[in-house]
């Protein structure tokens, strides 16, 4: 009788110990379920990586835009050897569109380096009625920088980049009177005559050469 009771007590203790172990195991399982699954961690990492990649792409795009807006022709360029991408003819067309003055009087075209803007620029002047437009154009990109307009009653006469004298013809005459780098030029109607003006820099010695397009007379200053 005593042996049977002892056997029963031993069995009950064994079962109790098994249940206790099972309970501990279940508690450990619940604790592990609070941690993120490997796939969730990987997804979060990928998301962060994509956000970083998107930010990098935006920065690259911004840098590209900034580079596009910068002048590609160096400040000290010799215009007799290197000219900006935009031609004088194209600059005139752009200015006419901007000023909405296709029937206006084109009386000046000038190309020089603007130190304030840090760009080579065309200044195109068009008289439309009583309004005189000066449209400033980026000589590299061909884009309009600004349109400066003012009222004017000055009499102006039209100039032509091809007639009666082209730029090349005028420059050939001018370079016989001066040497050095060509730092700027313009064609304008001034004091009753149409003339090209070329600015030369010969090691710091600046010379201005003017060519009358009608008489082909060349003067230096």
């Amino acid at each position: 009788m005593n042996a049977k009771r002892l056997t029963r007590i031993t069995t009950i203790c064994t079962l109790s110990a098994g249940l206790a172990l099972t309970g501990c195991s279940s508690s450990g399982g619940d604790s592990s379920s609070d941690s993120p699954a490997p796939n969730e961690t990987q997804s979060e990492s990928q998301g962060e990586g994509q956000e970083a990649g998107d930010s990098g792409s935006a920065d690259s795009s911004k840098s590209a835009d900034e580079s596009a807006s910068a002048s590609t022709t160096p400040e000290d360029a010799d215009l007799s050897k290197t000219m900006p991408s935009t031609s004088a003819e194209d600059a005139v067309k752009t200015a006419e569109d901007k000023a909405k003055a296709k029937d206006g009087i084109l009386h000046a075209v000038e190309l020089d380096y603007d130190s304030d803007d840090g760009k080579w620029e065309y200044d195109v002047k068009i008289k439309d009625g009583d309004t005189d437009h000066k449209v400033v154009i980026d000589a590299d990109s061909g884009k309009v920088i600004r349109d400066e307009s003012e009222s004017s009653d000055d009499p102006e006469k039209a100039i032509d980049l091809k007639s009666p004298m082209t730029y090349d013809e005028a420059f050939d005459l001018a370079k016989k009177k001066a040497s050095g780098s060509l730092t700027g030029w313009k064609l304008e109607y001034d004091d009753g005559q149409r003339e090209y003006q070329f600015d030369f820099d010969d090691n710091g010695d600046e010379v201005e050469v003017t060519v009358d397009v009608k008489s082909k007379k060349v003067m230096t200053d």
Side-chain angles (χ1 to χ4, degrees):
M1 200 54 192
N2 291 335
K4 291 182 178 180
R5 288 184 64 185
L6 180 62
T7 300
R8 183 181 301 173
I9 292 171
T10 302
T11 302
I12 293 173
C13 290
T14 301
L15 291 173
S16 297
L19 290 173
L21 289 174
T22 302
C24 292
S25 177
S26 300
S27 176
D30 293 340
S31 175
S32 63
S33 65
D34 293 337
S35 302
N39 289 340
E40 292 176 356
T41 303
Q42 184 177 4
S43 298
E44 290 176 359
S45 299
Q46 290 176 346
E48 292 174 356
Q50 289 176 351
E51 290 177 0
D54 292 342
S55 177
S57 299
D59 291 343
S60 299
S61 178
K62 182 178 180 180
S63 299
D65 291 341
E66 290 175 350
S67 299
S69 65
S71 178
T72 56
T73 303
E75 178 181 355
D76 60 351
D78 180 353
L79 297 181
S80 66
K81 300 176 181 178
T82 303
M83 290 290 281
S85 303
T86 303
S87 67
E89 289 82 359
D90 287 340
V92 169
K93 292 178 182 177
T94 299
E96 290 175 340
D97 290 339
K98 177 61 178 178
K100 298 180 180 179
K102 290 186 178 296
D103 295 328
I105 298 172
L106 171 67
H107 63 92
V109 179
E110 180 176 7
L111 173 62
D112 67 359
Y113 186 84
D114 189 303
S115 57
D116 291 334
D117 292 337
K119 299 175 182 294
W120 282 92
E121 298 173 349
Y122 284 102
D123 291 349
V124 182
K125 295 182 179 180
I126 302 173
K127 180 78 178 297
D128 185 23
D130 294 332
T131 303
D132 199 7
H133 296 268
K134 184 176 82 169
V135 183
V136 182
I137 298 169
D138 186 323
D140 283 306
S141 69
K143 295 181 179 180
V144 174
I145 297 176
R146 56 185 171 273
D147 177 7
E148 302 171 352
S149 303
E150 62 180 6
S151 297
S152 174
D153 57 3
D154 293 339
E156 301 289 357
K157 291 188 178 180
I159 60 169
D160 192 314
L161 289 163
K162 296 181 179 179
S163 178
M165 183 182 289
T166 65
Y167 168 91
D168 290 337
E169 292 170 337
F171 182 66
D172 285 342
L173 294 173
K175 67 184 181 181
K176 293 177 182 179
K177 298 290 185 178
S179 59
S181 299
L182 180 63
T183 61
W185 67 270
K186 66 180 174 181
L187 171 60
E188 66 177 350
Y189 175 79
D190 184 45
D191 292 335
Q193 64 184 23
R194 298 173 180 86
E195 59 188 24
Y196 279 94
Q197 178 180 302
F198 298 93
D199 297 321
F200 292 90
D201 186 337
D202 189 4
N203 294 320
D205 185 15
E206 298 181 357
V207 179
E208 180 181 289
V209 181
T210 301
V211 180
D212 187 309
V213 301
K214 186 175 182 180
S215 68
K216 297 185 179 181
K217 182 180 178 179
V218 181
M219 298 172 287
T220 60
D221 184 9

